[in-house]
Amino acid sequence: GVFGKHLNNYNPTSLPPGIDRWLVNGGGDYYDPSFSWASQKGEKLSDVRFDNCTDDRGQRQPCYSTSVIGNASIAWIRDHLTSESLPLPFFAYVSVKAPHIQDGPGYPQAIPAPWYTNSTVKSRAPRTPNYNASCPNHHWVVRQQPPLTDLEAAKVDDLYASRLRTLLSVDDLVEEMVATLDEFGVLENTFILFTSDNGYRFGQFRMPQGKWHAYENDIRVPFMIRGPGIRPGTIRDDIIGTHVDIMPTLLGLVDAHTFSSSHQQQSVLRRGSSSEQQQRFNTSVPLTMDGSDLSSKFMYHETGNSDKLNYSGTARNTILVEIIGGDLIRYGHQEGAFNNTFRLLRIMDQTQPRGRRNLKYVEFTDCRHDWNFTQEPIEYELFDLDTDPFEMNNIISQVSQDLLTKLQHTLRRLFACKGRSCRDVVWDDTKTYIHVTET
């Protein structure tokens, strides 16, 4: 089942293969939202709008998007778990609009549910060291930013609080989802993954809001997972991953033994009520997928001592992040530009020496003329996040050509790779490359 936000302004016209229930939009409105809907294979999608909700006194109130999506997804799970004496495994994709803003002029905010409009939340956005900071050696969109006015700073705080209030409904959705799985006795046999599509800023680098830049507040997202074989409370801050890894990792999770480092196909048992009902399935990460199966890095295996865990899997120490830029003005500040199109290399590897183990290297181009980086980039940034976690100092002019060549080589390999070859690209500071200028 697929529920909620799917793609911005581009969704299929009929139920996709393998999907049994479909309630989808491109984000839409918080209040009285519309979706495309289908519930039978081969069925054409129809439009549906939710505008008939009432409060506990029977008075009309807006239908709230997060609640609609949550109720629809939980209802489908209930239907599935009660449809057979031995239900097949299921997959639910649940994506809500919260905490996005509701687009509009002026100072648009996120819109909480009517019952959370006046809820008490933190009312002041975090004043990190890069909040309202001038950084003249950064990309031009950053270095030309004027300081936040008092009004803009107040609107940033209002936005922060409004987003927190929308997340109260997400909390409700998660709580009810977990309770439903527990009610049907499948909670401990179900993987639940919680993540987001992007980070956000609240005044960092003098930009009031948004998510279109290369900095950690924009690109870092939560990734939380629970399920069989995952030790509660475990934090793996040494793992680096991105969205293209999610589907390979899900495939790894359904494999009872996880994939070996050589990507050999393994068999998996589908759990049943008795050994006679168990059936063997085969799973693998398709060679066309760019991402990596990270499941072996947070699944644990007992090693004789129940307190000693054995995490397997080969080291992965770098990822590619990229964006196509466009002109964008929000809260009176230019926050996006065509020449803010970038590709970046994010390196995290504690086995490397200081100055080489926690880096971010960024190349900028103008997508109107060179969207696929066939020419030399027009600007560069490099940050050492060990010494500069808030990315205040662009050190691109302070490091050796040898380091820059290695960074450029690794980034360009990741940018050009396809499928399985992407899994072989790692940051290796011991290798030597010849610097070649692109023409």
Side-chain angles (χ1 to χ4, degrees):
V2 179
F3 306 91
K5 184 176 181 179
H6 180 238
L7 290 171
N8 291 339
N9 305 316
Y10 180 79
N11 288 297
T13 57
S14 60
L15 198 63
I19 305 299
D20 302 307
R21 189 73 57 86
W22 179 267
L23 183 74
V24 162
N25 62 17
D29 297 321
Y30 276 106
Y31 284 0
D32 295 340
S34 297
F35 299 86
S36 63
W37 158 265
S39 61
Q40 297 179 12
K41 294 178 180 178
E43 180 182 357
K44 291 291 184 182
L45 301 183
S46 58
D47 294 330
V48 58
R49 185 177 184 224
F50 291 82
D51 58 1
N52 60 344
C53 297
T54 58
D55 61 20
D56 53 9
R57 297 170 297 175
Q59 301 297 311
R60 169 78 171 94
Q61 72 175 8
C63 297
Y64 191 61
S65 177
T66 302
S67 300
V68 170
I69 293 166
N71 290 338
S73 59
I74 291 170
W76 174 74
I77 290 173
R78 285 183 171 274
D79 289 347
H80 176 74
L81 293 176
T82 56
S83 63
E84 303 178 49
S85 58
L86 180 62
L88 291 170
F90 68 89
F91 173 82
Y93 172 91
V94 185
S95 177
V96 297
K97 181 179 181 69
H100 286 78
I101 63 169
Q102 186 69 61
D103 283 327
Y107 300 95
Q109 306 281 310
I111 301 178
W115 48 92
Y116 286 136
T117 299
N118 297 314
S119 294
T120 301
V121 296
K122 292 181 180 179
S123 59
R124 192 171 189 260
R127 282 1 186 213
T128 55
N130 53 8
Y131 175 87
N132 207 18
S134 173
C135 293
N137 65 353
H138 286 41
H139 183 268
W140 81 268
V141 172
V142 174
R143 63 179 179 260
Q144 59 84 35
Q145 292 292 328
L148 296 175
T149 66
D150 290 344
L151 174 62
E152 290 165 350
K155 293 299 182 181
V156 168
D157 290 338
D158 290 344
L159 173 61
Y160 181 72
S162 73
R163 285 167 62 90
L164 290 179
R165 291 188 177 99
T166 68
L167 291 177
L168 295 174
S169 294
V170 179
D171 288 344
D172 292 341
L173 189 162
V174 173
E175 181 180 18
E176 186 63 27
M177 181 74 72
V178 170
T180 299
L181 297 172
D182 190 38
E183 175 188 343
F184 283 90
V186 298
L187 177 60
E188 301 308 321
N189 195 30
T190 302
F191 290 103
I192 302 175
L193 188 156
F194 185 93
T195 188
S196 182
D197 56 346
N198 52 260
Y200 212 69
R201 80 176 70 91
F202 298 97
Q204 282 69 39
F205 302 108
R206 295 182 169 180
M207 291 178 284
Q209 52 102 296
K211 55 189 178 183
W212 305 281
H213 290 266
Y215 311 113
E216 293 292 279
N217 50 269
D218 285 21
I219 69 172
R220 291 290 290 269
V221 298
F223 185 97
M224 294 175 278
I225 188 166
R226 78 177 307 278
I230 299 175
R231 175 65 59 89
T234 301
I235 298 175
R236 294 298 306 274
D237 55 8
D238 57 321
I239 297 175
I240 185 169
T242 187
H243 292 92
V244 296
D245 301 320
I246 291 177
M247 188 52 66
T249 298
L250 290 175
L251 292 173
L253 288 171
V254 301
D255 190 324
H257 306 290
T258 71
F259 296 109
S260 68
S261 60
S262 61
H263 303 287
Q264 294 293 319
Q265 192 177 59
Q266 303 288 335
S267 64
V268 61
L269 293 177
R270 188 187 73 183
R271 295 175 176 86
S273 59
S274 70
S275 59
E276 290 80 10
Q277 292 173 315
Q278 290 179 337
Q279 300 180 21
R280 288 190 174 273
F281 289 81
N282 289 321
T283 62
S284 65
V285 178
L287 297 180
T288 54
M289 285 188 174
D290 292 350
S292 298
D293 168 19
L294 303 179
S295 64
S296 63
K297 303 186 187 309
F298 51 77
M299 300 290 285
Y300 72 89
H301 311 282
E302 304 295 348
T303 59
N305 180 341
S306 60
D307 294 328
K308 185 178 181 181
L309 307 183
N310 177 25
Y311 294 100
S312 59
T314 56
R316 196 265 195 92
N317 61 9
T318 186
I319 59 169
L320 169 75
V321 180
E322 52 189 322
I323 191 173
I324 297 291
D327 280 339
L328 187 68
I329 296 176
R330 289 280 174 86
Y331 284 33
H333 287 241
Q334 181 162 1
E335 298 191 346
F338 292 107
N339 62 10
N340 189 52
T341 297
F342 64 78
R343 58 182 181 183
L344 76 80
L345 185 72
R346 185 68 174 93
I347 295 168
M348 294 176 64
D349 187 348
Q350 292 301 307
T351 67
Q352 301 287 335
R354 289 187 65 85
R356 304 287 179 110
R357 69 187 186 188
N358 191 10
L359 299 176
K360 179 184 293 177
Y361 170 71
V362 194
E363 297 181 348
F364 295 89
T365 189
D366 189 322
C367 64
R368 295 170 297 184
H369 314 300
D370 186 32
W371 66 271
N372 59 345
F373 289 86
T374 60
Q375 304 169 20
E376 277 294 302
I378 57 178
E379 293 201 47
Y380 300 85
E381 290 181 346
L382 176 63
F383 302 99
D384 181 349
L385 282 91
D386 274 341
T387 59
D388 181 25
F390 293 95
E391 299 165 289
M392 306 280 284
N393 183 28
N394 177 13
I395 60 172
I396 193 70
S397 63
Q398 303 171 28
V399 298
S400 67
Q401 183 60 53
D402 173 67
L403 176 58
L404 289 178
T405 300
K406 291 176 180 179
L407 292 167
Q408 291 167 354
H409 178 86
T410 307
L411 173 60
R412 292 168 191 187
R413 281 188 65 199
L414 269 179
F415 186 76
C417 70
K418 295 180 181 179
R420 184 174 180 175
S421 65
C422 296
R423 303 170 206 163
D424 299 327
V425 181
V426 295
W427 168 245
D428 186 352
D429 191 37
T430 65
K431 290 187 176 181
T432 301
Y433 304 102
I434 299 174
H435 176 68
V436 177
T437 300
E438 294 183 1
T439 59

